């Protein structure tokens, strides 16, 4: 079934057995300062009280819609992809079931993206924001992931070096052009090159459009026993350490993600890196 969003922004929430934190996340979306959105939720055949929680919110709020289908349990990647296929809107945001959005997240993200659209009309665009990390009770561990990890997101997206590791789906907003290209460009089989729903959107935006970083932490990512995330090292690394780490990371990309470069038309990994360096140097001269 197709859903045409009556509002410009479609918030897509994929959930599986999310009863513990789902209400808190939905409430944080309802508390947004921007109300020009519809929340679409697809339950991936949960076995806990998730379906009842979703039904309760759908009954209370007209701007919360459950995506109904008979496809059963698809897994995280296909769950989000099914949401993308089902909903037509001008702009899209992904939502996990266990985060908490700050009240200005939608408005600040949309304003920043809309500003970029003025400079780059008819272009696939994606904006991603910083985030905070917290424990299961939302006690803040790292207020700013980018600051605490000494990471400059623009240094990656300017080179467009496989940005699915830098761009978080729940941190992003992207326009319809990114969505359409994501669905038109089938990703490599997950058993060959596992890539997340948000990672593929970032790759599409990097290849065919532009990615911009909004440096405000606009959501709280919750660490708990059911998610797996690499812990951030707060220590500021030396230049030599970070360079060695980057080389090692590129090597891992070559082994694990060379299929991406082929699918997106870069050819070999060497050609991909060369292409990005040349494109970056040209962009610097233009400025």
């Amino acid at each position: 079934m197709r859903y045409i969003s009556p509002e410009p922004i479609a918030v897509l929430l994929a959930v599986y057995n999310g009863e513990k934190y789902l209400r808190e996340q939905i409430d944080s979306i309802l508390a947004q300062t921007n109300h020009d959105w519809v929340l679409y939720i697809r339950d991936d055949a949960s076995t806990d009280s998730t379906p009842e929680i979703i039904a309760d919110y759908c009954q209370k709020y007209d701007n919360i819609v459950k995506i109904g289908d008979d496809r059963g349990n698809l897994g995280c990647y296909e769950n989000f992809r099914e949401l993308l296929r089902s909903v037509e809107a001008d702009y899209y945001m992904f939502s996990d079931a266990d985060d908490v959005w700050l009240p200005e997240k939608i408005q600040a993200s949309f304003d920043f993206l809309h500003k970029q659209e003025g400079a780059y009309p008819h272009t696939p665009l994606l904006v991603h924001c910083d985030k905070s990390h917290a424990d299961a009770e939302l006690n803040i561990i790292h207020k700013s992931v980018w600051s605490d990890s000494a990471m400059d997101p623009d240094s990656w997206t300017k080179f467009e070096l496989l940005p699915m590791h830098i761009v978080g789906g729940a941190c992003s907003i992207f326009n319809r052009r990114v969505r359409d290209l994501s669905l038109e460009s089938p990703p490599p089989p997950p058993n060959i090159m596992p890539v997340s729903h948000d990672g593929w959107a970032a790759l599409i935006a990097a290849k065919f459009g532009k990615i911009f970083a909004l440096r405000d932490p606009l959501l709280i990512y919750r660490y708990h026993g059911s998610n797996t995330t690499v812990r951030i090292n707060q220590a500021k690394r030396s230049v030599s350490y970070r360079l060695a780490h980057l080389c090692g990371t590129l090597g891992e990309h070559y082994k694990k993600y060379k299929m991406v470069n082929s699918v997106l038309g870069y050819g070999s990994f060497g050609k991909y890196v060369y292409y990005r360096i040349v494109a970056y140097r040209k962009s610097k001269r233009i400025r």
Side-chain angles (χ1 to χ4, degrees), residues 171-221:
C171 299
S172 302
I173 183 171
F174 52 91
N175 61 15
R176 176 67 178 266
R177 294 171 186 83
V178 173
R179 177 260 192 187
D180 291 346
L181 286 169
S182 296
L183 295 178
E184 292 169 9
S185 306
N191 62 322
I192 297 177
M193 199 292 300
V195 62
S196 61
H197 58 284
D198 48 335
W200 191 247
L203 285 167
I204 292 296
K207 169 63 177 177
F208 300 104
K210 292 186 176 295
I211 297 176
F212 297 93
L214 175 57
R215 295 179 178 271
D216 299 324
L218 296 176
L219 78 154
I220 302 173
Y221 179 90

Side-chain angles (χ1 to χ4, degrees), residues 231-258:
R231 287 190 65 84
I232 294 175
N233 190 336
Q234 287 183 286
K236 307 301 183 184
R237 301 299 191 179
S238 66
V239 173
S240 59
Y241 176 92
R242 292 166 67 185
L243 181 60
H245 178 71
L246 173 60
C247 292
T249 301
L250 290 175
E252 286 301 308
H253 284 329
Y254 176 76
K255 295 175 184 177
K256 293 183 179 180
Y257 302 107
K258 59 183 178 180

Side-chain angles (χ1 to χ4, degrees), residues 19-196:
E19 63 178 6
K20 189 171 184 180
Y21 303 114
L22 181 58
R23 287 187 180 276
E24 195 168 6
Q25 168 62 341
I26 295 177
D27 287 343
S28 76
I29 296 174
L30 288 168
Q32 292 294 299
T33 59
N34 180 301
H35 302 289
D36 298 329
W37 51 266
V38 175
L39 173 62
Y40 296 91
I41 307 175
R42 185 183 183 278
D43 174 44
D44 206 25
S46 294
T47 57
D48 62 3
S49 64
T50 293
E52 289 75 22
I53 294 172
I54 296 172
D56 181 45
Y57 276 96
C58 289
Q59 184 177 14
K60 293 177 179 177
Y61 299 96
D62 294 336
N63 58 344
I64 299 180
V65 178
K66 179 184 177 182
I67 298 295
D69 58 59
D70 57 359
R71 300 194 64 196
N73 184 274
L74 301 177
C76 181
Y77 173 79
E78 277 298 327
N79 195 3
F80 274 106
R81 195 166 174 85
E82 183 62 24
L83 280 162
L84 271 182
R85 280 190 288 258
S86 301
V87 178
E88 296 184 12
D90 296 327
Y91 304 95
Y92 295 85
M93 302 180 79
F94 289 132
S95 171
D96 295 326
D98 51 4
D99 298 330
V100 171
W101 288 11
L102 300 187
E104 66 274 16
K105 181 179 188 296
I106 292 180
Q107 188 65 59
S109 299
F110 175 77
D111 288 346
F112 195 72
L113 178 60
H114 189 62
K115 178 181 177 181
Q116 307 309 323
E117 285 185 314
Y120 301 97
H122 314 298
T123 302
L125 298 177
L126 182 148
V127 164
H128 65 121
C129 67
D130 196 358
K131 62 185 174 183
S132 301
H133 278 175
D135 62 19
E137 286 72 43
L138 291 183
N139 298 306
I140 299 298
I141 302 170
H142 306 303
K143 186 175 181 180
S144 165
V145 170
W146 292 344
S147 295
D148 290 344
S149 59
M151 181 180 71
D152 178 10
D154 288 326
S155 66
W156 285 83
T157 53
K158 284 176 183 176
F159 279 95
E160 294 164 13
L161 285 169
L162 300 178
M164 65 271 204
H165 294 298
I166 307 301
V167 179
C171 299
S172 302
I173 183 171
F174 52 91
N175 61 15
R176 176 67 178 266
R177 294 171 186 83
V178 173
R179 177 260 192 187
D180 291 346
L181 286 169
S182 296
L183 295 178
E184 292 169 9
S185 306
N191 62 322
I192 297 177
M193 199 292 300
V195 62
S196 61

